[in-house]
């Protein structure tokens, strides 16, 4: 028993040796890299533990999480974020009961109305204006609402671009190409400053919804292209088969094309939503106090002036953590959705 | 669908879009007359009366708005082209390190790619600006004779001076895009069948020669489209310059809107300038693409 494990360890080390020192140059490179890595790690740990002044993060944790939400109502966004975390954990590690798995999608979608109810208040909760929303809560709200809204719009745009009617095809092509040619910040700027000019006098939409609207317009163009890629890779025989089964055009789209296109486009779509999460940080320039905006306002506070490194490292960590959670969820979803490629 | 039905549906949708646009424009005119601004471009030729820290061509605050916008466009082009080169060089190196034989190097570049890709660009730009350049406590970081000097004033490279805003943007954009380019390069190299590697090795070619004359020419057609889209992304991302106070085309439009309130006109100008930038990059890449494909054909 010990013999086997010792020999396997020896083989393992031999493998490492072969990988790292196949010739003299490689050995040298590996040694230098090891030296650099250990130096960087040591310095970073020393800074993280001894030199950094984490008071700026510790004393502002509620601000980072909830922005300027009234402090006696903090439990509301907290419940929302915790419920999102619990659903993520159930999705990843939960039991494989059939009824649970079936209703998971509904649970994910219902978190958005739940979040909006908890944030807005009303129906028994104190109403809170959207200008008090902020921090991680606002970042997650922007991401979830815009992804949910842009998916159907993207599907419609992709179908229009594939349509046999030339006028519709042209219109959606123009929309998609223009949206993809302009920078996101211009679209967000349009949302914040120009949308009020296009509305009739007296009607106003609040800033958060204007931002969600702008994100939706922007992301749907990218999603449309991803789904178009999916639609194009569906073999033509699928449509012939559906036709010969006697399905009509809407049934073909609904039952044959969209499910397959979505499954093919899934990795691209999850990348879009991770990108969207990162891009919500642009709203910090345009005046919403989301996660990065909170960081900026804290750095403008004379008490914490000059503590850029601590705040930025902390923000980078939070963004990285949420992105990683999203990426893990996405990989889980992709694994569940793959089918045997031999069936094609 | 029958032909008459098709025409009817298209007509209906066209009518809907036109009436929607008409309604929006109607609202816009009402709002613009209410605020007393109207819609015209005469203001372009009035003096801009703001200073620009960086201008590749002569500029003073008595020049007109149109000239200021052109300077902004040039500034954008300057930062796009230089960070594009940095990103390509870095990205290629990291892409090769990622696919290379050295496991440690490959692991290290994988870590680099994940960390860069999973934090927002805006945060990285601010990091480079406020910590990387403004953070030097004793003003000078590196000072090697007269060749290179890095300080909180920017970079001085044997006579060439780069402001700290420009340098932060150059590093931020370059490093962010390099992580994406590395993935493109890696995808391109992996798309070359393994048999090609075995074939050149069995022919007795050295690794370097085989990589240069067998693998890379075959990987290029897979790499170039991805590279083009990364360059376009870089051009779009360069508008984040406003966060570090570099006066690119977006920042100058923003200043003008704050001064004159001409939001609609400035937005149209911004769209047009980006259309021009996109066309420029696409055409250049198309030319490069063609040259490379042609050179392969005749060899």
């Amino acid at each position: 028993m010990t013999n086997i494990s010792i020999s396997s360890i020896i083989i393992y080390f031999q493998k490492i040796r072969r990988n790292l020192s196949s010739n003299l140059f490689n050995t040298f490179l590996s040694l230098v890299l090891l030296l650099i890595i250990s130096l960087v790690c040591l310095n970073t740990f020393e800074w993280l533990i001894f030199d950094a002044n984490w008071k700026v993060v510790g004393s502002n944790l509620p601000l980072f999480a909830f922005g300027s939400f009234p402090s006696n109502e903090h439990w509301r966004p907290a419940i929302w974020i915790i419920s999102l975390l619990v659903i993520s954990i159930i999705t990843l590690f939960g039991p494989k009961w059939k009824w649970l798995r079936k209703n998971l999608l509904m649970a994910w979608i219902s978190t958005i109305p739940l979040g909006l109810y908890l944030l807005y208040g009303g129906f028994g909760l104190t109403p809170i204006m959207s200008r008090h929303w902020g921090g991680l809560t606002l970042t997650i709200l922007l991401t979830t609402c815009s992804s949910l809204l842009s998916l159907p719009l993207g599907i419609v745009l992709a179908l229009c671009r594939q349509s046999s009617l030339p006028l519709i095809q042209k219109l959606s092509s123009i929309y998609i190409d223009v949206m993809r040619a302009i920078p996101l910040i211009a679209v967000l700027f349009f949302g914040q400053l120009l949308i009020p000019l296009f509305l009739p006098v007296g009607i106003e939409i609040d800033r958060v919804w204007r931002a969600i609207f702008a994100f939706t317009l922007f992301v749907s163009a990218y999603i449309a292209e991803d789904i178009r890629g999916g639609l194009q890779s569906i073999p033509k025989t699928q449509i012939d088969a559906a036709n010969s089964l006697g399905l009509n055009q809407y049934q073909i789209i609904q039952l044959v094309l969209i499910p397959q296109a979505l499954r093919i486009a899934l990795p691209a779509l999850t990348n879009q939503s991770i990108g969207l999460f990162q891009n919500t940080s642009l709203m910090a320039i345009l005046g919403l106090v989301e996660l990065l905006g909170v960081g900026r306002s804290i750095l403008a506070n004379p008490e914490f002036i000059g503590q850029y490194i601590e705040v930025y490292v902390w923000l980078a960590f939070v963004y990285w953590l949420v992105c990683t959670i999203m990426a893990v969820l996405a990989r889980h979803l992709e694994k569940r959705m793959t089918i045997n490629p031999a069936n094609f | 669908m029958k032909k008459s039905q098709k025409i009817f549906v298209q007509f209906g949708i066209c009518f809907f879009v036109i009436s929607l646009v008409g309604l929006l424009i109607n609202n816009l005119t009402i709002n613009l007359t209410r605020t007393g601004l109207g819609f015209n471009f005469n203001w372009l030729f009035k003096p801009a009366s703001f200073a620009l820290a960086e201008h590749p061509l002569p500029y003073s605050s008595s020049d007109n708005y149109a000239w200021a916008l052109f300077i902004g466009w040039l500034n954008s082009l300057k930062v796009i082209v230089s960070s594009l080169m940095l990103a390509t060089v870095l990205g290629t190196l990291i892409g090769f390190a990622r696919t290379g034989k050295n496991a440690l190097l490959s692991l290290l570049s994988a870590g680099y790619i994940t960390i860069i890709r999973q934090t927002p660009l805006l945060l990285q730009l601010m990091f480079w600006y406020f910590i990387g350049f403004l953070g030097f406590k004793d003003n000078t970081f590196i000072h090697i004779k007269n060749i290179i000097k890095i300080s909180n004033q920017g970079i001085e490279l044997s006579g060439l001076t780069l402001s700290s805003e420009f340098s932060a943007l150059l590093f931020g954009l370059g490093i962010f895009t390099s992580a994406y380019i590395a993935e493109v390069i890696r995808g391109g190299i992996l798309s070359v069948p393994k048999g090609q590697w075995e074939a050149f090795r069995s022919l007795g070619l050295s690794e370097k020669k085989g990589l240069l004359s067998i693998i890379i020419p075959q990987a290029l057609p897979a790499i170039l489209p991805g590279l083009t889209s990364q360059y376009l992304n870089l051009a779009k991302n360069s508008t984040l310059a406003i966060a570090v106070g570099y006066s690119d085309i977006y920042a100058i439009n923003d200043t003008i809107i704050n001064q004159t309130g001409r939001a609609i006109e400035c937005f149209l100008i911004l769209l047009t300038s980006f259309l021009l930038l996109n066309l420029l990059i696409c055409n250049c890449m198309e030319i490069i693409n063609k040259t490379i494909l042609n050179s392969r054909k005749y060899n």
Side-chain angles (χ1 to χ4, degrees), chain B:
Chain B
M1 262 193 279
K2 273 177 268 163
K3 199 171 179 191
S4 57
Q5 219 175 344
K6 272 186 183 176
I7 292 174
F8 181 72
V9 167
Q10 290 192 61
F11 188 75
I13 286 188
C14 205
F15 180 74
F16 174 73
V17 169
I18 289 176
S19 50
L20 188 70
V21 170
L23 186 73
L24 291 178
I25 289 179
N26 181 38
N27 284 337
L28 182 67
T29 6
I30 292 174
N31 279 319
L32 285 182
T33 37
R34 206 167 52 100
T35 49
L37 275 172
F39 180 85
N40 61 61
F41 284 95
N42 296 336
W43 53 272
L44 270 177
F45 303 102
K46 288 182 184 152
S49 66
F50 54 79
L52 292 178
E54 258 173 270
H55 41 87
L57 293 175
Y59 169 85
S60 71
S61 51
S62 57
D63 283 327
N64 58 26
Y65 284 115
W67 186 246
L69 284 168
F70 182 66
I71 297 280
W73 196 79
L74 283 184
N75 272 342
S76 281
L77 199 62
K78 182 173 130 190
V79 81
I80 289 169
V81 170
S82 42
S83 44
L84 187 145
M85 288 193 258
L86 179 72
T88 313
V89 172
L90 258 181
T92 314
L93 287 178
I94 292 162
F96 277 112
R98 181 83 183 81
T99 42
K101 262 194 196 159
N102 194 312
L104 204 59
L105 201 57
S106 163
L107 195 73
L108 205 60
S109 35
Y112 172 90
I113 292 171
T114 3
I115 289 179
I116 299 286
R117 282 169 49 128
Q118 301 212 338
T119 43
L121 171 63
L122 190 58
L123 186 65
Q124 290 182 34
L125 283 178
M126 290 179 173
F127 185 92
W128 282 107
Y129 185 59
F130 290 111
I131 299 170
F133 284 96
L134 295 192
F136 297 136
K137 291 217 175 66
D138 50 352
N139 289 349
T140 314
F141 179 58
I142 300 175
H143 194 169
I144 308 168
K145 292 200 173 155
N146 279 329
I147 306 165
I148 188 166
K149 182 183 169 197
I150 301 180
S151 66
N152 59 3
Q153 305 291 316
I155 300 178
E156 246 176 80
L157 191 76
S158 59
L160 182 74
T161 342
L162 307 173
S163 68
S164 46
E165 288 83 20
F166 178 82
S167 324
L169 207 54
L170 171 71
F171 277 97
L173 282 175
I175 288 179
F176 183 77
T177 316
S178 75
Y180 286 84
I181 288 183
E183 286 291 271
V184 171
I185 302 261
R186 174 168 163 251
I189 293 177
L190 290 183
S191 77
V192 178
K194 223 177 167 191
Q196 296 285 329
W197 290 85
E198 289 157 2
F200 84 70
R201 277 179 197 140
S202 64
L203 280 173
L205 290 181
S206 70
E207 289 286 307
K208 208 171 118 192
K209 179 102 174 64
L211 200 63
L212 282 178
S213 54
I214 307 286
I215 303 300
I216 291 180
Q218 295 191 68
L220 270 179
I223 288 175
L224 281 172
L227 217 51
T228 312
S229 74
Q230 288 311 324
Y231 288 165
L232 291 176
N233 279 343
L234 181 121
K236 283 183 268 175
N237 285 335
S238 74
T239 43
L240 297 189
I242 193 175
V244 298
Y246 180 75
S247 35
D248 79 325
I249 181 76
Y250 177 76
I252 287 181
N253 268 311
D254 198 57
T255 316
I256 293 178
I257 290 171
N258 284 337
Q259 261 189 16
T260 63
R262 303 264 170 199
I264 301 282
E265 291 93 328
C266 281
F267 190 71
L268 288 177
I269 291 174
L270 190 67
L271 290 193
T272 330
S273 7
F274 259 85
L275 207 64
L276 283 176
L277 273 177
N278 271 357
L279 281 177
L280 197 70
I281 295 176
C282 280
N283 283 333
C284 286
M285 286 310 283
E286 189 65 23
I287 292 169
I288 294 175
N289 206 349
K290 262 191 193 144
T291 345
I292 286 175
L293 289 184
N294 280 346
S295 70
R296 283 185 66 211
K297 220 180 279 168
Y298 294 121
N299 277 342

Side-chain angles (χ1 to χ4, degrees), chain A residues 31-244:
Chain A
L31 282 177
V32 170
L33 278 178
L34 264 182
L35 195 72
I36 293 175
I37 291 174
S38 46
L39 266 179
V40 168
C41 281
L42 263 178
N43 273 326
T44 315
F45 276 119
E46 194 196 338
W47 180 82
L48 278 178
I49 294 162
F50 298 111
D51 296 350
N53 185 1
W54 291 115
K55 199 174 148 268
V56 59
V57 172
S59 59
N60 289 316
L61 271 183
L63 214 54
F64 278 115
F66 314 119
S68 58
F69 214 75
S71 58
N72 53 341
E73 304 283 348
H74 273 173
W75 58 273
R76 279 156 53 177
I79 282 185
W80 187 47
I81 293 181
I82 290 172
S83 71
L84 281 173
L85 267 178
V86 168
I87 293 187
S88 311
I89 292 173
I90 290 177
T91 315
L92 284 176
F93 307 112
K96 290 198 171 19
W97 301 327
K98 214 166 187 183
W99 61 268
L100 185 78
R101 294 281 155 198
K102 258 186 191 161
N103 294 318
L104 218 45
L105 182 67
M106 285 318 293
W108 273 106
I109 292 175
S110 65
T111 55
I112 290 176
L114 174 74
L116 286 176
Y117 167 62
L118 283 172
L119 288 177
Y120 264 119
F123 301 110
L125 297 173
T126 337
I128 284 168
M129 300 290 285
S130 66
R131 65 188 147 88
H132 292 298
W133 303 354
L136 185 64
T137 323
L138 183 58
T139 300
I140 294 179
L141 185 82
L142 287 174
T143 316
T144 46
C145 286
S146 333
S147 356
L148 192 76
L149 290 177
S150 53
L151 186 64
L153 190 58
I155 293 177
V156 169
L157 280 171
L159 287 173
C160 284
R161 203 174 184 174
Q162 292 285 82
S163 142
S164 57
L165 309 176
L167 208 62
I168 293 174
Q169 197 227 347
K170 265 268 138 26
L171 276 175
S172 66
S173 300
I174 292 174
Y175 175 81
I176 291 172
D177 290 341
V178 167
M179 262 313 166
R180 285 167 59 93
I182 54 180
L184 172 59
I185 196 165
V187 182
L188 293 176
F189 179 85
F190 173 84
Q192 293 301 307
L193 267 90
L194 301 190
I195 285 182
L197 286 178
F198 284 103
L199 291 176
V201 182
I203 294 182
E204 268 183 47
I205 307 177
D206 76 56
R207 302 184 66 125
V208 175
W209 283 105
R210 291 207 302 261
I212 291 175
F213 183 70
F215 274 119
T216 306
L217 286 183
F218 182 78
V219 177
S220 61
Y222 285 80
I223 286 183
E225 280 298 272
D226 291 336
I227 290 177
R228 188 169 74 116
L231 283 175
Q232 277 173 345
S233 63
I234 297 174
K236 197 102 178 59
T237 48
Q238 293 274 327
I239 297 172
D240 297 338
N243 269 328
S244 67

